[in-house]
């Protein structure tokens, strides 16, 4: 009996060890990544203004990390740190564009494949496109999102999280009989905030509505895992890649600043059979910690900046950790200084031209800079952060052939926005400009193109190094049919950042619209290395414009081989049929395109119904053509093209009253120079010269300096 106390103590120790869970190296491992989600906007972290039943239920089964931080407030950079356990300077990706994953580092997927795991991913945004190297080690990386290379922001090229969820569930259903690793990424609640009902009605078109939308998607995904018998045995991590400014400290979105709202994220870890469920961990952790958490149970010892989340949760990580974050977004995009930060205990030091220090425990909103009161802490962190700061190379992946092509177009010798040792403005003192940029983007998105032109012009007079603003102004000018000016703006941006593929594509697109076909082809070829599929689509459009239908069909075949059944390629194929006098074949292709879009759950495609109407009109099916044009107008009410063809259709049918109604409908929907020009040109086509001159004059009364309207008025 004298051994009983020791025996009881051993039983207690064994029970405690049993409660400390671990990853099952023969069971599923899943990462759920919710883009742009602040931890303090979840009920699990104390927020009370929304309901998130899906995430709340998951939290009960999980370990919650109260203070988790991102290494960078940018999607691709942050996910690269998750997948490699390394900081940006080591894994090589420093921005969402222009960088690729270091070929010498291993990803979670690469390592788990060697242990017999199937590996899959489905992502919801083009910023996580696989060709950056982020897909290394994955058997399947579903990033099948149609990309508009001339879009004002590549970050806005996204798909619904529910569509991604369906892709994820299909893959998991096919691989559930074996161990698998899966990354499921959704882009809600990233801007633009436009949640569907019932969340829009309940919360409005706000960030909170988007968070509730994301919760519903995650809830459905977790329900699927339970139905398949996978949830209980799986290790599941729920995380976000970065936060959102929401106007705090002046930043509306993210990427520029490094305050807590930008880099603190939710992080929950569900272990097999709910081990350690309900636990909360107050010790600071970072997203690089996910890598060792997953790979160490398999015996891997790769270099990492992280610590196992389980070691942190179980008190096995001693000492004061230094958690580092950075953003080169202000330098690369605005010509402002890059920022760096370090969290050590309760202290958050932000290394900037005017440094700051905050107590994030006592002052989580970071309203009081305590740097002058804690000079020793400031000095220690300023010294401690120096080894982490590694300047980034310019965002470029230009090979020798591309350099020669750029030189022929006058771009070699131009520099990026800044030099490494250049004295630059402090981002926090210029964040108001970023918000003006946001206003300009919103003006563009709401079809207020003249306002977008004015705002961007004012910004560029103050800071001509902002590549993104040059690109936005180019887009606005193109929408105003000022194509020559748009091309020059896009070229200016390309000179500042010659490795940015999207800018070359933009020049190609505008040159194509301006009938400058040689220039369009030259710039399209500049995009071939980085985005070959989109390059072939641009060349296809150049061939169409030149009426070289044989070459155009060759480009269709190349594009279809690269990405079968892409709706954008199918529409271009239909255009070839239209222009070669086979509207029946065009209609058949367009109907297949519509079916493919429905199958994918994609949003409506611009011009699809317009080309259907064109094909139907050529086949003499006037009523169906009218319906197709009206559907295009309903879906895209500010594009003049469908209005033009509907006016022509009514004119041919002698329906003058209906044609007049369409004219006024276009003016009401989009009272812009392109609309007045479209009306004037259409009336001139049907022989109504007086009407053409009248509508040109009507447009000039609102836009007296527009050159095309002046030309239309002169006849």
């Amino acid at each position: 009996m004298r051994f009983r106390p020791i025996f009881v103590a051993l039983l207690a120790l064994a029970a405690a060890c049993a409660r400390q869970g671990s990853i099952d190296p023969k069971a599923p491992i899943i990462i759920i990544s919710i883009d742009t989600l602040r931890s303090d906007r979840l009920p699990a972290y104390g927020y009370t203004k929304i309901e998130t039943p899906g995430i709340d239920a998951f939290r009960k089964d999980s370990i919650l990390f109260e203070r988790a931080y991102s290494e960078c407030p940018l999607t691709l950079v942050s996910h690269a740190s998750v997948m490699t356990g390394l900081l940006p300077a080591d894994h090589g990706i420093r921005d969402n564009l222009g960088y690729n994953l270091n070929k010498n580092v291993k990803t979670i997927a690469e390592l788990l494949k060697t242990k017999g795991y199937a590996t899959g991913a489905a992502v919801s945004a083009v910023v996580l496109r696989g060709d950056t190297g982020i897909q290394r080690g994955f058997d399947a990386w579903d990033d099948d999102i149609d990309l508009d290379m001339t879009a004002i922001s590549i970050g806005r090229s996204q798909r619904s999280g529910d569509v991604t969820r369906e892709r994820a569930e299909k893959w998991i259903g096919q691989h559930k009989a074996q161990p698998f690793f899966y990354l499921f990424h959704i882009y809600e609640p990233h801007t633009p905030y436009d949640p569907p009902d019932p969340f829009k009605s309940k919360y409005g078109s706000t960030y909170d509505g988007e968070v509730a939308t994301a919760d519903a998607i995650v809830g459905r995904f977790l329900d699927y895992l339970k139905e398949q018998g996978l949830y209980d045995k799986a290790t599941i991590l729920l995380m976000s890649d970065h936060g959102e400014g929401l106007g705090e400290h002046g930043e509306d979105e993210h990427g520029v600043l490094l305050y807590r709202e930008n880099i603190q994220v939710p992080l929950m870890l569900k272990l097999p059979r709910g081990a350690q469920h309900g636990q909360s961990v107050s010790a600071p952790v970072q997203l690089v910690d996910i890598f060792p958490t997953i790979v160490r149970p398999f015996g891997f010892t790769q270099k990492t900046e992280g610590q196992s989340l389980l070691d942190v949760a179980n008190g096995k990580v001693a000492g004061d950790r230094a958690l580092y974050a950075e953003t080169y977004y202000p330098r690369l995009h605005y010509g402002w200084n890059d920022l760096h930060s370090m969290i050590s205990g309760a202290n958050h030091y932000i290394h900037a031209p005017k440094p700051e220090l905050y107590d994030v425990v006592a002052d989580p909103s970071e309203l009081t800079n305590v740097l002058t009161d804690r000079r020793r802490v400031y000095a220690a962190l300023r010294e401690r952060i120096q080894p982490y700061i590694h300047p980034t190379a310019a965002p470029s992946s230009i090979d020798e052939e591309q350099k020669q092509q750029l030189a022929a177009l006058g771009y070699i010798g131009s520099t990026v926005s800044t030099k490494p040792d250049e004295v630059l403005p402090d981002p926090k003192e210029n964040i108001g400009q970023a918000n003006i940029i946001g206003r300009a983007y919103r003006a563009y998105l709401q079809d207020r193109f003249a306002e977008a032109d004015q705002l961007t012009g004012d910004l560029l007079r103050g800071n001509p190094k902002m590549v993104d603003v040059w690109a936005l102004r180019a887009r606005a000018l193109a929408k105003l049919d000022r194509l020559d000016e748009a091309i020059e703006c896009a070229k200016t941006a390309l000179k500042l950042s010659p490795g940015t593929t999207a800018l070359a594509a933009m020049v190609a697109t505008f040159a194509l619209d301006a009938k400058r076909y040689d220039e369009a082809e030259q710039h399209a070829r500049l995009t071939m290395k980085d985005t070959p599929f989109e390059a072939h689509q641009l060349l296809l459009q150049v061939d169409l414009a030149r009426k070289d239908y044989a070459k155009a069909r060759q480009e269709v075949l190349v594009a279809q081989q690269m990405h079968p059944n892409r709706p954008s390629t199918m529409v271009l194929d239909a255009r070839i049929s239209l222009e070669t006098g086979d509207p029946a074949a065009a209609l058949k292709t367009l109907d297949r395109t519509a079916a493919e879009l429905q199958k994918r759950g994609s949003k409506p495609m611009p011009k699809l119904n317009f080309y259907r109407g064109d094909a139907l009109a050529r086949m003499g099916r006037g009523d169906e053509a009218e319906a197709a044009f009206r559907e295009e107008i309903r879906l895209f009410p500010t594009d003049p093209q469908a209005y033009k063809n509907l006016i022509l259709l009514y004119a041919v049918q002698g329906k003058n009253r209906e044609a007049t109604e369409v004219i006024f409908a276009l003016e009401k929907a989009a009272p812009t120079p392109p609309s007045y020009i479209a009306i004037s040109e259409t009336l001139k086509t049907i022989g109504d010269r007086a009407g053409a001159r009248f509508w040109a004059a009507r447009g000039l009364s609102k836009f007296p300096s527009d050159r095309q309207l002046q030309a239309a008025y002169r006849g």
Side-chain angles (χ1 to χ4, degrees):
M1 295 297 293
R2 63 184 177 182
F3 298 108
R4 183 173 177 79
I6 298 174
F7 179 70
V8 171
L10 289 171
L11 278 178
L13 179 61
C17 291
R19 286 195 296 272
Q20 287 189 2
S22 60
I23 291 176
D24 184 345
K26 296 182 180 179
I29 300 171
I30 300 167
I31 295 177
I32 301 172
S33 175
I34 307 173
D35 213 289
T36 322
L37 178 58
R38 287 173 55 152
S39 58
D40 62 1
R41 287 303 180 103
L42 287 177
Y45 286 82
Y47 192 61
T48 60
K49 294 183 180 180
I50 60 172
E51 297 174 357
T52 56
I55 294 174
D56 291 351
F58 181 78
R59 187 275 173 270
K60 292 178 182 177
D61 296 334
S62 308
I63 305 168
L64 180 144
F65 295 87
E66 297 174 359
R67 295 177 57 201
Y69 299 95
S70 170
E71 292 74 22
C72 179
L74 294 170
T75 297
L76 180 60
V77 188
S78 180
H79 281 86
S81 287
V82 170
M83 296 306 301
T84 65
L86 299 174
L87 296 175
D90 293 320
H91 63 59
I93 296 180
R94 314 298 286 274
D95 190 23
N96 281 337
L97 288 170
Y99 296 89
N100 293 316
L101 194 66
N102 185 337
K103 295 179 180 179
N104 297 320
V105 304
K106 294 292 185 181
T107 68
I108 295 173
E110 286 179 294
L111 295 174
L112 294 190
K113 269 184 69 67
T114 68
K115 298 297 183 179
Y117 268 62
T119 54
V123 300
S124 296
V126 168
V127 287
L128 287 181
R129 62 209 179 279
D131 58 15
T132 60
I134 194 75
Q135 70 173 1
R136 278 213 313 265
F138 283 91
D139 300 323
W141 181 274
D142 188 337
D143 60 356
D144 189 17
I145 304 165
D146 280 332
L147 171 60
D148 177 3
M149 287 299 296
T150 64
I152 61 172
S153 170
I154 196 169
R156 298 181 194 276
S157 297
Q158 58 180 291
R159 68 181 172 194
S160 162
D162 261 329
V163 173
T164 305
R165 176 184 57 79
E166 291 170 0
R167 302 286 184 90
E169 291 173 1
K170 181 179 179 181
W171 188 94
I172 289 172
Q174 295 169 343
H175 296 83
K176 64 182 181 180
Q178 65 182 112
F180 65 83
F181 168 61
Y182 202 83
L183 170 65
F184 170 50
H185 167 264
I186 61 175
Y187 215 45
E188 297 86 357
H190 198 284
T191 52
Y193 310 138
D194 188 23
D197 278 327
F199 307 111
K200 187 171 186 176
S201 299
K202 188 171 185 177
Y203 301 111
S205 298
T206 67
Y207 181 80
D208 282 0
E210 288 275 330
V211 173
T213 303
D215 174 76
I217 296 166
V218 169
R220 286 189 281 272
F221 180 66
L222 294 173
D223 286 344
Y224 170 81
L225 295 177
K226 292 172 183 176
E227 292 166 5
Q228 298 298 310
L230 299 170
Y231 180 83
D232 188 53
K233 63 183 179 181
T235 296
I236 306 174
L237 281 138
L238 186 146
M239 55 159 276
S240 181
D241 53 350
H242 55 74
E244 187 80 319
L246 299 179
E248 297 178 30
H249 295 95
E251 185 172 17
D252 291 336
E253 298 185 24
H254 59 269
V256 177
L257 303 179
L258 291 179
Y259 295 106
R260 185 200 58 79
E261 63 267 18
N262 305 94
I263 61 172
Q264 187 168 347
V265 296
L267 181 59
M268 305 177 202
L269 169 61
K270 190 204 80 66
L271 294 170
R273 290 160 290 281
Q276 297 181 237
H277 69 276
Q279 182 179 350
S280 295
V281 179
S282 60
V285 295
Q286 206 164 16
L287 292 181
V288 288
D289 295 341
I290 291 173
F291 179 88
T293 305
I294 293 175
V295 305
R296 289 284 162 78
F298 293 87
F300 295 112
T301 58
Q302 267 77 2
K303 172 191 172 185
T304 173
E305 288 290 334
Q307 299 280 355
S308 167
L309 291 169
L310 285 174
D311 286 348
V312 177
N314 296 326
K316 297 179 181 178
V317 177
D320 178 18
R321 295 186 69 193
L323 306 183
Y324 170 79
E326 69 174 39
T327 177
Y328 279 87
Y329 188 88
R331 175 181 285 271
L332 296 171
H333 293 269
Y334 300 138
W336 303 336
N337 213 86
D338 45 282
L339 295 179
H340 309 261
S341 86
M342 180 163 283
I343 290 173
S344 175
N347 297 298
H348 183 198
Y349 168 59
I350 300 177
H351 187 72
K354 293 185 178 179
E356 300 167 87
L357 181 67
Y358 296 96
D359 184 332
V360 291
V361 174
D363 177 26
S365 297
E366 297 181 320
L367 299 177
T368 303
N369 183 357
V370 297
L371 186 146
T372 55
D373 298 328
R374 302 184 184 181
R375 302 293 298 184
R376 289 185 178 179
V377 174
Y378 157 59
L381 288 175
R382 181 184 59 188
E383 181 177 353
R384 194 172 182 183
I385 202 172
Q386 293 303 322
Y388 290 87
I389 299 174
H390 300 280
T392 180
S396 175
S397 55
I398 308 171
D399 61 19
E400 287 304 315
E401 181 180 357
Q402 286 179 309
K403 287 180 181 179
Q404 293 175 14
Q405 292 170 324
L406 283 166
L409 298 171
Y411 296 123
I412 286 298
S414 57
T415 61
V416 295
S417 300
T418 62
K419 298 176 182 178
D421 58 349
E422 189 173 349
V423 177
L424 299 172
D426 193 317
K428 62 179 170 287
E429 296 183 345
N430 292 272
I431 196 64
Q433 289 186 43
N435 291 335
I436 295 173
I437 294 168
R439 282 174 51 199
Y441 275 111
R442 287 189 290 275
Y444 178 91
L445 291 169
Q446 295 167 6
D447 298 329
R448 304 195 313 272
F449 305 123
E451 181 183 346
D453 173 40
Q454 180 181 348
L455 288 169
T456 52
D458 292 342
L459 285 164
L460 291 167
R461 278 187 285 276
N463 182 358
K465 295 181 178 180
M466 293 188 288
V467 172
D468 292 353
V469 179
W470 279 111
L472 176 58
R473 190 173 192 214
R475 293 284 291 170
L477 288 166
K479 289 291 188 180
L480 293 168
D481 272 351
R482 292 159 59 182
L483 286 172
D484 290 341
E485 295 171 80
I487 291 168
E488 289 310 308
C489 280
K491 283 186 173 183
T492 299
L494 190 55
K495 287 177 182 178
L496 289 168
S497 184
T500 304
T501 302
L503 294 173
M506 187 178 290
V507 176
T509 301
F510 297 156
L512 179 63
D513 292 340
K515 297 181 172 57
R516 292 156 59 169
Y517 301 136
D518 289 346
E519 202 170 352
E521 180 181 355
Q522 290 172 321
H523 285 82
R525 293 195 182 282
L526 290 176
T527 71
M528 188 64 74
K529 179 185 176 184
D530 293 338
T531 54
F533 174 75
E534 288 77 18
H536 283 292
Q537 287 206 320
L538 282 169
L539 292 171
L540 196 167
Q541 293 175 72
V542 173
D543 293 334
L544 263 172
R546 288 171 167 163
K547 301 189 184 303
D548 190 339
Y549 302 120
K551 284 185 66 177
R553 289 198 185 279
Q554 290 175 0
E555 293 290 356
V556 166
L557 291 174
V558 172
Q560 287 177 337
Q561 287 172 354
M562 296 175 72
H563 290 291
N565 298 322
R566 270 288 178 90
S568 52
T569 306
M570 296 166 75
V571 169
L572 289 168
D573 189 21
R575 284 183 57 191
I576 298 173
S577 297
L578 273 174
E579 295 187 26
T580 54
D582 193 351
L587 183 62
K588 185 176 180 180
T589 301
L590 292 166
D591 287 342
R592 283 196 298 108
T593 307
E596 181 67 22
L597 287 168
Q598 185 175 16
K599 174 184 172 184
R600 292 167 176 247
S602 301
K603 294 179 179 179
M605 174 175 283
K607 293 288 198 299
L608 175 60
N609 283 290
F610 167 76
Y611 290 122
R612 284 193 78 255
D614 191 359
L616 289 162
R618 295 183 193 215
M619 296 168 69
R621 295 159 62 176
D623 291 344
E624 294 172 86
E626 176 186 352
F629 290 138
R630 287 210 172 269
E631 179 64 5
E632 182 75 19
I633 290 169
R634 185 187 71 81
L635 293 171
F636 305 100
T638 61
D639 186 345
Q641 197 64 42
Y643 293 90
K644 287 178 64 175
N645 279 36
L646 187 55
I647 293 166
L648 289 170
L649 180 66
Y650 283 144
V652 169
Q653 295 173 341
K655 297 180 178 179
N656 294 333
R657 179 179 61 80
E658 289 87 345
T660 302
E661 289 174 354
V662 174
I663 289 172
F664 282 102
L666 173 55
E667 183 187 36
K668 182 178 180 180
T672 61
S675 295
Y676 289 108
I677 292 165
I679 294 168
S680 179
E681 289 176 346
T682 305
L683 292 174
K684 185 177 179 180
T685 299
I686 62 177
D688 185 359
R689 292 186 173 273
R693 197 164 188 267
F694 169 82
W695 280 97
R698 192 175 174 100
L700 280 172
S701 68
K702 297 181 179 181
F703 306 98
S705 61
D706 190 272
R707 297 172 189 171
Q708 286 186 286
L709 282 171
Q710 291 170 355
Y713 180 74
R714 292 193 300 268

